[in-house]
Amino acid sequence: EYDEGFPLGDGTPDEIANSKSAGLRVFGQFATGAVDHEVSVQAYRIERRYRDGNIFGTSDNTYTGKRQKIAYQGAVNIGGDGRFVFGADWTGEDYDQFGTFGALAARTATSGVFGELRYAPSDRLDLSAALRHDDHSDFGGHTTGRVALAWRPTDDLILRMQAGTGFRAPSNFELYSAFGSLTLQPEESRNVDLGVEKRFGEQGFIRATAFWLAVDNLIDYDLVVNRYNQVPGISRRKGIEL
């Protein structure tokens, strides 16, 4: 049971949501010579049903999402201090709805390739750099990346830094549902994290991380037009996690 939406509620406590989901992942790991491999297949399904009433009347709608993914990842050591991880994956997503708001079905797919280089120039410094390219069936190709380091100046102190970019296509619900919009564009982001960790023996630690995130074309629900919409300009978040 959930509360009515303001200001459209009709005063009756008849809002009920039911949700059920199931997922399965099967994978295999093996090695051929110097290369380690992992192949995986996974599937996920979620069904949500909402029954409610407001000043416009009652409604009963069911939304079903399905996701299938096939992935490969390989890894090989480069010298004694480096490791290269690479792979590819494909994800298909299906969206279906039926009920008061009408029937609709939609499907999108994303294929991607990635590579990550990890290198430890000393026993106190770890470096990594990663690139990923995704090709979305509706929004085309996008490349993202990340660089990171972890430095241990002493045995009980760790300093971390990470900077990267991100990409998120609108979900099928945000695009195709009665609350969606076909004018939505993907979100693109930039982020930086800086952290310090003080260790106390094997089990204890204090860790602090400062983060900063900037998102172009942030997708949020717009109460003015009563559907998902793009937030104008750049949306920023920053803070400290302890």
Side-chain angles (χ1 to χ4, degrees):
E1 298 178 352
Y2 63 96
D3 294 336
E4 290 189 315
F6 177 82
L8 303 178
D10 62 354
T12 58
D14 56 356
E15 279 63 39
I16 299 175
N18 297 97
S19 178
K20 55 184 178 181
S21 60
L24 175 68
R25 180 176 184 264
V26 179
F27 68 94
Q29 297 175 329
F30 58 96
T32 57
V35 184
D36 298 321
H37 308 274
E38 179 178 289
V39 179
S40 63
V41 178
Q42 57 183 286
Y44 178 75
R45 184 183 188 275
I46 182 170
E47 180 180 289
R48 298 173 296 142
R49 183 184 180 188
Y50 297 94
R51 289 165 286 174
D52 54 28
N54 57 36
I55 60 176
F56 300 111
T58 61
S59 64
D60 187 344
N61 295 279
T62 299
Y63 305 93
T64 303
K66 300 176 183 178
R67 182 174 65 242
Q68 312 86 39
K69 184 174 182 179
I70 303 171
Y72 165 77
Q73 179 175 294
V76 59
N77 290 331
I78 303 175
D81 303 312
R83 188 165 176 83
F84 181 59
V85 180
F86 57 93
D89 51 45
W90 175 89
T91 304
E93 293 184 289
D94 296 277
Y95 167 76
D96 294 277
Q97 73 171 50
F98 65 89
T100 307
F101 296 154
L104 182 66
R107 178 175 177 81
T108 57
T110 305
S111 56
V113 293
F114 61 88
E116 181 183 35
L117 180 62
R118 305 169 187 170
Y119 180 63
S122 72
D123 58 357
R124 294 192 177 274
L125 180 63
D126 295 311
L127 305 173
S128 69
L131 278 176
R132 179 180 176 91
H133 182 80
D134 287 296
D135 188 19
H136 191 277
S137 57
D138 288 348
F139 298 102
H142 291 264
T143 300
T144 54
R146 179 178 61 87
V147 293
L149 67 83
W151 178 43
R152 295 170 292 278
T154 62
D155 291 340
D156 59 352
L157 186 64
I158 306 172
L159 305 177
R160 295 185 175 91
M161 185 278 291
Q162 183 270 146
T165 60
F167 154 76
R168 187 184 81 87
S171 71
N172 289 340
F173 185 82
E174 292 167 337
L175 286 170
Y176 302 114
S177 74
F179 307 103
S181 173
L182 294 176
T183 65
L184 293 177
Q185 296 299 309
E187 297 177 344
E188 297 187 42
S189 63
R190 303 169 299 283
N191 69 91
V192 176
D193 296 343
L194 298 173
V196 58
E197 178 177 326
K198 171 67 174 177
R199 303 292 306 186
F200 299 97
E202 293 295 326
Q203 303 297 328
F205 66 87
I206 295 178
R207 180 186 302 152
T209 303
F211 61 88
W212 176 87
L213 172 71
V215 183
D216 296 309
N217 294 323
L218 179 70
I219 299 171
D220 199 3
Y221 196 79
D222 190 336
L223 293 174
V224 176
V225 298
N226 200 32
R227 64 179 59 244
Y228 287 98
N229 205 353
Q230 228 92 45
V231 176
I234 300 175
S235 302
R236 295 179 176 87
R237 300 171 186 163
K238 60 183 178 181
I240 295 176
E241 181 183 272
L242 183 62

